[in-house]
């Protein structure tokens, strides 16, 4: 990668350059691509409107996993601020970040929390600080200042909605909060019943799913022959 060659040569990337590199590692927003990722994992979700499976994917279906190492290197070089996940309250300060840097910072935090959950640790709340914009408007012949969500805030909010993570607060207020219990549930999606039929839903490795399908077909054939 040209980025890594530049670092090896002693060139320090700016925050803008780092964000551009991360943007090159971003996946297009295509549902068929997500389906391909799930199939490649050998997982079949047998339901028409399946629950969110983003937490099961590397990079959460949004970025190539190399984006995490690029962001880490950028943090070590001082190109971007690093977010610590060691404390009981995690704060992601994206007020001076570019869009792609803010997105990968959030995903990198989720990746770290996923490992903490796997180790049996309790997940803390996550607060995201976002830049806002001010706009002067005339209301009832009086000038009033409104706070609007900036591009970074809009991007982070859209990312959370795509991932299916519920949050408190609004982008225009410059602060969003994700509850630790919400994250715990998101990392462990439950597959209980199909919305329309009430039939059991299964998230099985593909070989097991195929074997079950063959067994079901054989049972149906035997019942018809009786």
């Amino acid at each position: 990668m040209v980025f890594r060659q530049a670092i090896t040569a002693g060139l320090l990337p700016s925050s803008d350059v780092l964000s551009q590199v991360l943007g090159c590692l971003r996946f297009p927003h295509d549902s068929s691509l997500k389906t391909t990722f799930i199939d490649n994992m050998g997982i079949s979700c047998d339901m028409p409107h399946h629950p969110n499976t983003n937490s099961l994917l590397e990079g959460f279906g949004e970025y190539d996993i190399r984006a995490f190492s690029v962001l880490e290197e950028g943090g070590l070089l001082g190109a971007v601020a690093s977010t610590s996940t060691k404390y009981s309250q995690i704060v992601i300060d994206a007020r001076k970040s570019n869009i792609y840097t803010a997105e990968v910072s959030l995903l990198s935090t989720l990746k770290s929390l996923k490992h903490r959950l796997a180790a049996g640790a309790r997940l803390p709340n996550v607060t995201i600080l976002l830049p806002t914009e001010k706009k002067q408007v005339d209301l009832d012949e009086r000038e009033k200042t409104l706070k609007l969500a900036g591009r970074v805030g809009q991007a982070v909010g859209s990312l959370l909605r795509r991932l299916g993570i519920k949050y408190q607060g609004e982008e225009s207020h410059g602060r969003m909060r994700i509850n630790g219990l919400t994250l715990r549930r998101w990392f462990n999606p439950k597959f209980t019943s199909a919305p329309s039929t009430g039939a059991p839903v299964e998230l099985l490795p593909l070989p097991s799913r195929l074997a079950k399908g063959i067994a079901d077909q054989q049972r149906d054939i035997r019942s018809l022959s009786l």
Side-chain angles (χ1 to χ4, degrees), residues 39 48 53 129-130 180 198:
D39 290 342
T53 53
L129 304 179
L130 301 166

Side-chain angles (χ1 to χ4, degrees), residues 66-85:
R66 291 175 294 179
F68 297 133
S69 60
V70 170
L71 180 68
E72 183 178 1
E73 286 188 69
L76 293 175
L77 294 171
V80 293
S82 301
T83 300
S84 176
T85 59

Side-chain angles (χ1 to χ4, degrees), residues 6 15 48 50 97 103 106 112-113 143 149 152 159 173 177-178:
S15 58
H50 57 78
S97 298
E103 289 184 341
L106 172 57
S112 298
L113 292 178
E143 194 174 74
V152 172
L159 173 60
H173 292 166
R177 181 175 177 272
I178 308 173

Side-chain angles (χ1 to χ4, degrees), residues 3-14:
F3 174 76
R4 189 153 286 111
Q5 292 175 349
I7 292 178
T8 304
L11 300 177
L12 298 180
S14 65

Side-chain angles (χ1 to χ4, degrees), residues 132-139 143-149 172-173:
T132 58
E133 300 176 358
K134 293 183 179 180
K135 183 177 181 180
Q136 300 289 338
V137 296
D138 293 328
L139 295 176
E143 194 174 74
K144 186 175 182 180
T145 302
L146 298 180
K147 290 180 65 175
L148 305 175
S172 60
H173 292 166

Side-chain angles (χ1 to χ4, degrees), residues 82-147:
S82 301
T83 300
S84 176
T85 59
K86 299 179 180 180
Y87 303 106
S88 58
Q89 293 287 337
I90 297 177
V91 178
I92 302 174
D93 191 347
R95 288 175 293 185
K96 296 182 180 180
S97 298
N98 294 309
I99 290 177
Y100 303 129
T101 304
E103 289 184 341
V104 178
S105 295
L106 172 57
L107 295 175
S108 180
T109 300
L110 293 177
K111 180 172 176 284
S112 298
L113 292 178
K114 185 176 183 178
H115 292 163
R116 285 182 60 172
L117 180 62
R122 182 178 179 180
L123 297 186
N125 300 328
V126 177
T127 299
I128 309 171
L129 304 179
L130 301 166
T132 58
E133 300 176 358
K134 293 183 179 180
K135 183 177 181 180
Q136 300 289 338
V137 296
D138 293 328
L139 295 176
D140 298 330
E141 299 181 353
R142 289 184 301 176
E143 194 174 74
K144 186 175 182 180
T145 302
L146 298 180
K147 290 180 65 175

